[in-house]
Amino acid sequence: MIITIASREVRSLFLSPLAWSILAVVQFIMGYLFLGQLDLFLQIQSQLLAMNEAPGITEIVVTPIFANAAMILLLVIPLITMRLISEEKRTQTLTLLLSAPVSITEIVLGKFIGIMIFILIILLLMALMPLSLLAGGTLDYGMAASSFLALLLLLASFASAGLFMSTITNQPTIAAISTFGLLLLLWIVDWSADFTEAGSVISYLSLLNHYRPLLEGIFKSSDIIYYLLFITTFLTLSIRRLNADRLQH
Amino acid sequence: MSVTDEILVSVKGVSRFYGDLCAVNNLSFNIHRGEVLGLLGPNGAGKSTTIQMITGNLAPSFGQISINSIDILDRPKKAKQHLGYLPEHPPIYKEFTVDEYLRFCAKLHHIKHSERQEAINIAKQRCSLNEVGKRLIGNLSKGFQQRVGIAQAIIHSPPVVILDEPTVGLDPIQIREIRSLIRELGEDHSVILSTHILPEVTTTCDKVLIINKGSIVLTETTEDLQKRMQSSSLFVGFHQAPNAEELHKFAGVDSVSTTKEGYFRIHHNPDIDPSEQIVLKSVEQGWRLIEIRPEQLSLEEVFVDITTTEEHSSINNDDVMVEAVYS
């Protein structure tokens, strides 16, 4: 049942021009960044050869690409999650799901998995660029995989927050703006953390603080757990939110 | 069409509040297999709220609803398998074709892969959608979209079908088709039909439930309602009209009013029909009777009568409620 809802979500996404244009724009920008990074590597290659323990191509090309991708997708993910529930509320198609023998948990998980399939497509297209380097060299696979995992977890967190925001309103644009606001706040929350007493707690909440180590190949289970908790929290909130619509306030 | 004793929908003492506003107040009724129930009421009477509660889209504040003896709150997934629901706005995905959409609905309702195509074909045929299967729903006319909505509600042939204003936006031929479809469904399913179009109720429903301000003001079989519509007034016309006082003298006549030259409306005691006497007297006196007919109240008038008289509704309310529960 979850799969049915997820596959409908993916179909609907690809039936609208939105998904295609997002894929195209993201791919274009990432391609540009990739080429820039590659140029930089070629320029400093001779200096690197002279260095002891010089950073490899993975660190110079792949890691920055994924770091920039997170910023770009922070802008893009709200646009694809905004419609998830709010559009169905607005066109009153949510009734179809709510009166079918499907639980609200299944609806929310189905939507989430649907959007994750789309995100995986973005990620795989993006991963093709570093992988193309294999034609002329070799990569630090462990590090590349860690970067990939980091971005996947980060985007899943973005998507779960976007899904929750989409359950709150029936205006997709409001869902997009609030998702963007929330994510950006969580991204930059550690900037001001140094000046306050609760600094360490606040900076622990920052999405960025858990992203960077993973990206650099430092695999800490606490970071993974942070993301999993983040995703579970927002999915649970979405389920509760949809349930609350049925109940009396 | 056979109404059996098997109760498919049971609503017991259901209330629903929106904040302080009581939208539905202590509603109770049962629907048996093979029964078509017409749900009537003015705007804001609580029809949609009632329907949303039965379909599990809203949780009742108090009371119990069960579908096919399965409680909708305790086991919602099981109960919803027995439901087909067409909301006021058909819940259609405009970017899908009719076939794709119906396939998705069939999957949602756990129809097995091997039976899916068959179910889609039957639903399409019943709603005459065969020619538009490959077209995008968004490009279809309102009437076709409405029919897609109905097809979605019956695709899993549920025992209980709930249709909220199904004939809105259809042309007269389609309306007749849909009505006969509803009658057909009523043979082995239960159907709840909410509508504004009153004649629809008399032609398609077995039982009528009128709701006003969240309470039941009337539950009657359509036959009884027809009887209620037999009113107690006569319309008569003469070439050589007598005085109104003359007409007043007949036994059972309560009042006489002149409508136009030579024509009268005579209100009489429902138990005494003075028409025969009038005809005899007319021949005797040479009034040259040209027209005489009993006037029938339209369902509209009955409806307005029931929903607008406050005292009437509140007095009747309790009796009706009891009757509804035990009927």
Side-chain angles (χ1 to χ4, degrees):
Chain A
M1 205 42 50
I2 295 174
I3 302 299
T4 309
I5 294 172
S7 69
R8 191 211 66 82
E9 201 56 51
V10 175
R11 269 187 96 105
S12 277
L13 260 175
F14 280 105
L15 285 172
S16 79
L18 183 70
W20 296 104
S21 49
I22 283 177
L23 280 181
V25 168
V26 169
Q27 195 65 11
F28 182 81
I29 294 176
M30 293 315 297
Y32 183 77
L33 288 174
F34 175 67
L35 287 178
Q37 231 34 60
L38 202 58
D39 252 0
L40 177 76
F41 178 74
L42 292 175
Q43 272 175 22
I44 60 173
Q45 202 173 17
S46 49
Q47 295 159 24
L48 289 175
L49 283 173
M51 279 167 70
N52 264 347
E53 290 187 27
I57 192 165
T58 316
E59 276 142 307
I60 292 177
V61 179
V62 182
T63 309
I65 290 279
F66 276 80
N68 287 328
M71 246 351 252
I72 292 164
L73 290 169
L74 178 79
L75 296 167
V76 168
I77 298 292
L79 292 178
I80 47 176
T81 56
M82 67 178 183
R83 293 169 43 265
L84 280 175
I85 306 273
S86 59
E87 180 91 348
E88 295 224 32
K89 272 191 186 173
R90 207 166 55 89
T91 57
Q92 311 196 348
T93 46
L94 196 61
T95 326
L96 180 71
L97 300 177
L98 291 178
S99 11
V102 184
S103 69
I104 287 181
T105 312
E106 284 172 322
I107 297 176
V108 168
L109 286 181
K111 296 259 170 200
F112 180 67
I113 289 173
I115 220 70
M116 282 315 291
I117 292 172
F118 181 74
I119 285 175
L120 264 180
I121 295 174
I122 298 184
L123 272 181
L124 288 177
L125 282 175
M126 207 179 279
L128 283 180
M129 289 186 291
L131 287 179
S132 70
L133 294 176
L134 286 175
T138 177
L139 285 176
D140 179 344
Y141 289 112
M143 195 169 167
S146 174
S147 300
F148 188 82
L149 178 73
L151 192 54
L152 182 67
L153 283 172
L154 185 76
L155 294 185
S157 313
F158 287 180
S160 65
L163 178 60
F164 171 65
M165 287 300 179
S166 187
T167 59
I168 288 181
T169 164
N170 50 11
Q171 297 291 334
T173 36
I174 295 176
I177 291 286
S178 8
T179 310
F180 176 69
L182 175 74
L183 294 179
L184 192 64
L185 183 70
L186 284 173
W187 192 254
I188 61 171
V189 78
D190 64 326
W191 289 2
S192 64
D194 305 336
F195 314 117
T196 56
E197 285 193 5
S200 63
V201 179
I202 291 177
S203 70
Y204 189 80
L205 284 177
S206 164
L207 279 164
L208 186 65
N209 273 349
H210 297 273
Y211 182 54
R212 196 156 281 155
L214 260 179
L215 201 61
E216 286 158 1
I218 305 163
F219 191 95
K220 268 200 301 189
S221 38
S222 65
D223 290 337
I224 309 285
I225 290 169
Y226 167 84
Y227 282 119
L228 293 181
L229 271 179
F230 190 98
I231 296 164
T232 327
T233 306
F234 276 104
L235 289 184
T236 315
L237 283 175
S238 309
I239 295 168
R240 290 192 63 95
R241 176 68 221 151
L242 274 186
N243 238 328
D245 281 350
R246 290 168 53 238
L247 304 171
Q248 185 194 334
H249 324 279
Chain B
M1 179 212 53
S2 58
V3 177
T4 61
D5 289 340
E6 191 187 349
I7 293 172
L8 283 186
V9 179
S10 135
V11 175
K12 276 187 207 142
V14 164
S15 302
R16 168 78 199 199
F17 291 85
Y18 293 112
D20 289 336
L21 180 80
C22 177
V24 168
N25 181 16
N26 198 12
L27 213 63
S28 299
F29 58 89
N30 290 328
I31 302 166
H32 301 85
R33 186 182 284 279
E35 198 168 50
V36 181
L37 176 88
L39 199 57
L40 286 176
N43 291 333
K47 290 185 308 257
S48 286
T49 306
T50 309
I51 285 183
Q52 284 179 340
M53 285 193 290
I54 298 175
T55 56
N57 278 274
L58 277 180
S61 309
F62 304 104
Q64 203 180 27
I65 297 171
S66 46
I67 313 291
N68 218 349
S69 9
I70 303 163
D71 194 294
I72 189 108
L73 287 179
D74 291 347
R75 293 158 73 201
K77 275 172 78 172
K78 195 99 183 99
K80 283 175 187 173
Q81 278 182 19
H82 302 281
L83 269 180
Y85 173 38
L86 169 72
E88 227 170 320
H89 301 268
I92 44 177
Y93 295 107
K94 297 198 164 155
E95 66 271 24
F96 277 28
T97 66
V98 174
D99 284 343
E100 285 171 336
Y101 173 73
L102 290 179
R103 182 158 299 119
F104 171 64
C105 296
K107 281 188 201 163
L108 271 187
H109 285 285
H110 304 283
I111 299 178
K112 281 193 225 98
H113 185 76
S114 52
E115 296 158 18
R116 220 173 274 157
Q117 193 55 45
E118 178 74 13
I120 294 170
N121 289 342
I122 292 173
K124 276 202 304 189
Q125 209 212 325
R126 281 185 135 177
C127 302
S128 4
L129 287 167
N130 281 322
E131 298 102 72
V132 295
K134 297 268 183 297
R135 287 182 56 190
L136 285 181
I137 296 178
N139 293 344
L140 295 176
S141 68
K142 175 84 177 72
F144 270 109
Q145 293 185 353
Q146 189 75 18
R147 288 198 256 169
V148 173
I150 299 175
Q152 162 273 124
I154 61 172
I155 192 160
H156 49 301
S157 45
V160 181
V161 180
I162 299 176
L163 305 171
D164 202 346
E165 301 185 14
T167 53
V168 169
L170 301 181
D171 67 40
I173 300 165
Q174 291 170 342
I175 289 180
R176 285 182 66 174
E177 283 171 12
I178 295 301
R179 284 183 191 164
S180 65
L181 175 68
I182 293 170
R183 285 250 55 110
E184 204 185 304
L185 288 172
E187 280 170 21
D188 45 351
H189 304 60
S190 310
V191 181
I192 301 179
L193 181 72
S194 143
T195 180
H196 280 140
I197 308 160
L198 296 165
E200 199 160 277
V201 173
T202 34
T203 53
T204 51
C205 301
D206 303 313
K207 205 164 142 188
V208 179
L209 191 81
I210 298 182
I211 300 182
N212 191 25
K213 300 194 174 150
S215 305
I216 297 179
V217 290
L218 176 104
T219 60
E220 258 178 4
T221 60
T222 319
E223 282 164 27
D224 286 342
L225 195 69
Q226 301 269 24
K227 276 189 209 138
R228 192 186 270 255
M229 281 155 60
Q230 303 287 346
S231 115
S232 49
S233 69
L234 286 171
F235 189 75
V236 290
F238 306 97
H239 265 311
Q240 300 283 323
N243 277 334
E245 288 91 71
E246 289 278 340
L247 294 170
H248 220 292
K249 287 178 191 155
F250 289 106
V253 172
D254 292 333
S255 66
V256 177
S257 56
T258 317
T259 46
K260 59 184 176 191
E261 190 61 39
Y263 290 87
F264 300 91
R265 177 167 288 121
I266 302 173
H267 293 276
H268 60 83
N269 186 324
D271 300 328
I272 306 163
D273 187 351
S275 40
E276 194 184 347
Q277 293 302 318
I278 292 173
V279 174
L280 285 174
K281 188 88 172 177
S282 160
V283 174
E284 209 173 277
Q285 303 282 327
W287 289 342
R288 296 172 68 192
L289 180 72
I290 48 170
E291 188 177 352
I292 181 162
R293 59 180 162 89
E295 278 191 311
Q296 212 186 31
L297 271 176
S298 68
L299 186 53
E300 251 116 315
E301 286 164 302
V302 174
F303 179 71
V304 169
D305 189 37
I306 291 167
T307 51
T308 48
T309 41
E310 259 335 64
E311 298 83 353
H312 176 91
S313 64
S314 55
I315 292 166
N316 249 20
N317 208 1
D318 297 317
D319 312 346
V320 170
M321 200 79 79
V322 173
E323 187 186 313
V325 175
Y326 299 104
S327 65

